[in-house]
Amino acid sequence: MDKINILIIGSGGREHAISKALSNSRSSDVLFAFPGNPGILEIATFADIDLSAPHTIIDFCKEMNIGLVVIGPEQPLSDGLVDKLKAEGINCFGPNKYAAQLESSKSFAKDFMKKYDIPTAKYANFSKNNETLAHDYINSVKLPIVLKADGLAGGKGVVIPETYLDAHSLLDEMFTGKFGNAGDKVVIEEYLEGEEASIFAICDGNDFITLAPAQDHKRAYDDDKGPNTGGMGAYAPADIVNDEILEIIKNQVIIPVLEGMKKEGNPFIGCLYCGLMIKGNEVKVIEFNVRFGDPETQCVLSIFEGDLAKLFYSASLSKIDKSAVRNIAKSYSCNVVLASKGYPTTYENGFEITGIEKAQNSDTTVYQAGTKIKAGKLVSNGGRVLGVTAQGETLQDAINKAYEGVDQICFDNIFYRKDIGKKGLK
Ligand code: AMP
Ligand code: GLY
């Protein structure tokens, strides 16, 4: 294929990793980014567009001859950006608004799974109009249970109450707006035991290819304690997803999603993120996301070999070219998120960051997430600030190198988990 110009939308560590892989792709020409971050904008050109005014994106794509738009985060996908761009003949890697409901509405996703026989936890959906029924339901089931705000909540809308009292008050908090409109509906589901893994399937509506399985660390503190976050670190490949488990995931989860979405008239194009609970040979879906996961992507793409631009482009045209992938896992990788103390609730920003250059080498990359330039200096500007991602021959090697990188980096209020990857060493 001819080289194409690409526009990537997003500003996190995920988009930094995707940008790096795209800019290293043979099929990519000029890479543009919006809004980007200081790390992304070292390898991409800033695109002067406004997400809330889609005509600015359409005009930009036409003027710059953009062959592909890659949308990183869930919000623009669930707002229907793909539908608007495609209506103007602009190619996108990402699902349309209907298919994006697999992430933007947990009740939609649960009903979809039930309809297409995809294994998941038993559940019931409630809206705030039938609050009493929801409380009665809690009283009728055994703990532990899981309460999930229906809408997008940045990975923070899921709680696992320890007592019935907590369950009732957490439900009240959701219904009274703790997560804004996202909590107008709540899914109450059975608690699943097992080990978690994330699988990314690059989908073209009919067919797909999976990338290296990864394991995220969602809780804020070591030993999986503390509140849920967007993710504090990851490693890949996660060996818990062996060949047999992968076949189960393909047959029981990914293929039924693709078939189901086709039947609903909205073929799924983009990255289908399957968040899974694995116990023995049983796989259940915890959640779907309709985009790459962060920080898992930083691991998955740092060990990927191939032409990512070609893979995305061919998938966007519903003709996935699997030969664009040479190797999904040339080694192991480990990512440690450097966050601001207080994340995922409140934290201070604006502290100077040093040591990135020293941390980086041929095996280690520091991806930027919550950063900005202030008075010529790189400063912290978010809950998750950086992701230090290293590769190694073994998982232990990748972990060691990631933490060697972490040791080089300083900013006030730095906070990170010390046990990333440990679960995979068994
Ligand atoms: P979600 O946003 O749905 O992925 O949920 C965030 C995290 O909460 C998951 O990664 C799990 O660690 C946990 N979780 C969610 N649903 C369940 C469940 N049914 N059983 C056990 N843990 C869950
Ligand atoms: N790391 C979890 C997510 O991206 O949703």
Side-chain angles (χ1 to χ4, degrees):
M1 70 181 257
D2 291 336
K3 283 175 179 274
I4 49 168
N5 293 344
I6 301 175
L7 167 64
I8 179 162
I9 291 178
S11 64
R14 163 183 56 209
E15 287 79 14
H16 192 179
I18 296 173
S19 297
K20 188 173 177 211
L22 288 175
S23 68
N24 288 336
S25 294
R26 260 201 215 154
S27 305
S28 115
D29 198 356
V30 187
L31 182 64
F32 294 92
F34 177 85
N37 65 37
I40 295 171
L41 296 174
E42 280 174 19
I43 47 181
T45 305
F46 178 70
D48 194 5
I49 55 175
D50 177 356
L51 275 196
S52 63
H55 70 273
T56 61
I57 312 175
I58 292 160
D59 291 348
F60 180 87
C61 289
K62 290 186 174 164
E63 193 183 331
M64 296 300 176
N65 192 23
I66 298 293
L68 181 69
V69 180
V70 177
I71 300 164
E74 58 275 21
Q75 191 67 55
L77 293 167
S78 93
D79 292 342
L81 182 57
V82 167
D83 310 59
K84 289 169 194 148
L85 297 183
K86 281 199 172 164
E88 294 289 329
I90 296 164
N91 254 329
C92 298
F93 181 71
N96 68 10
K97 186 179 170 94
Y98 184 89
Q101 290 178 94
L102 282 178
E103 175 166 5
S104 64
S105 167
K106 291 199 189 278
S107 58
F108 174 93
K110 295 296 288 191
D111 291 344
F112 181 93
M113 286 189 263
K114 192 168 173 187
K115 186 168 171 190
Y116 294 104
D117 220 7
I118 298 169
T120 187
K122 290 197 197 81
Y123 72 103
N125 297 333
F126 298 94
S127 70
K128 67 176 180 188
N129 310 330
N130 50 24
E131 207 179 324
T132 321
L133 286 179
H135 285 288
D136 290 347
Y137 182 80
I138 291 179
N139 289 331
S140 75
V141 292
K142 269 213 242 133
L143 295 188
I145 50 169
V146 185
L147 307 187
K148 300 184 171 186
D150 184 63
L152 298 178
K156 295 154 207 159
V158 173
V159 287
I160 303 172
E162 285 181 4
T163 63
Y164 283 98
L165 204 62
D166 279 352
H168 289 293
S169 68
L170 288 164
L171 178 68
D172 284 336
E173 278 180 24
M174 287 189 176
F175 279 149
T176 52
K178 181 168 183 196
F179 300 107
N181 295 341
D184 286 355
K185 277 197 214 160
V186 171
V187 176
I188 304 179
E189 70 176 30
E190 164 200 20
Y191 179 84
L192 298 174
E193 312 243 357
E195 208 172 331
E196 286 184 58
S198 314
I199 284 279
F200 302 156
I202 305 302
C203 301
D204 76 351
N206 293 299
D207 201 0
F208 66 97
I209 189 167
T210 54
L211 302 182
Q215 200 167 48
D216 190 9
H217 298 61
K218 288 227 166 83
R219 301 293 200 97
Y221 313 133
D222 283 14
D223 299 320
D224 291 332
K225 301 244 163 56
N228 264 320
T229 68
M232 293 298 293
Y235 69 89
D239 291 333
I240 174 162
V241 182
N242 56 30
D243 291 347
E244 197 181 341
I245 298 283
L246 187 60
E247 278 310 298
I248 294 174
I249 297 168
K250 288 178 180 175
N251 291 322
Q252 296 186 7
V253 181
I254 303 170
I255 293 173
V257 169
L258 291 180
E259 292 303 315
M261 276 298 168
K262 266 200 293 189
K263 280 200 189 123
E264 315 244 323
N266 291 276
F268 190 97
I269 294 175
C271 176
L272 178 70
Y273 168 132
C274 311
L276 306 162
M277 190 69 89
I278 298 166
K279 194 177 171 199
N281 269 351
E282 199 178 57
V283 172
K284 286 191 176 167
V285 176
I286 298 177
E287 64 161 348
F288 287 121
N289 294 320
V290 298
R291 36 83 192 165
F292 278 97
D294 201 4
E296 298 99 308
T297 302
Q298 300 175 44
C299 287
V300 169
L301 292 185
S302 67
I303 54 175
F304 169 90
E305 286 182 312
D307 185 333
L308 196 70
K310 191 179 200 176
L311 184 66
F312 287 180
Y313 182 71
S314 61
S316 79
L317 299 175
S318 300
K319 284 186 270 193
I320 192 166
D321 182 350
K322 297 181 188 177
S323 74
V325 179
R326 281 201 309 280
N327 189 353
I328 59 165
K330 64 176 175 202
S331 59
Y332 282 86
S333 65
C334 173
N335 159 280
V336 181
V337 168
L338 304 184
S340 300
K341 200 172 82 200
Y343 173 74
T345 42
T346 50
Y347 45 84
E348 274 183 77
N349 276 155
F351 301 112
E352 186 181 354
I353 301 165
T354 59
I356 290 183
E357 290 307 319
K358 269 198 276 174
Q360 298 199 111
N361 55 49
S362 58
D363 286 333
T364 306
T365 305
V366 180
Y367 292 108
Q368 297 190 28
T371 60
K372 71 170 184 186
I373 305 282
K374 191 175 151 198
K377 289 183 171 146
L378 188 71
V379 300
S380 57
N381 187 43
R384 294 190 291 178
V385 179
L386 301 172
V388 182
T389 306
Q391 46 171 308
E393 283 299 307
T394 62
L395 177 59
Q396 183 68 65
D397 195 23
I399 295 170
N400 294 348
K401 287 179 180 164
Y403 280 102
E404 278 163 26
V406 168
D407 286 342
Q408 303 297 324
I409 293 175
C410 292
F411 58 90
D412 282 355
N413 287 7
I414 191 170
F415 159 72
Y416 57 90
R417 277 181 60 160
K418 314 272 189 307
D419 64 344
I420 303 298
K422 212 164 119 184
K423 282 189 273 193
L425 290 174
K426 282 174 276 178

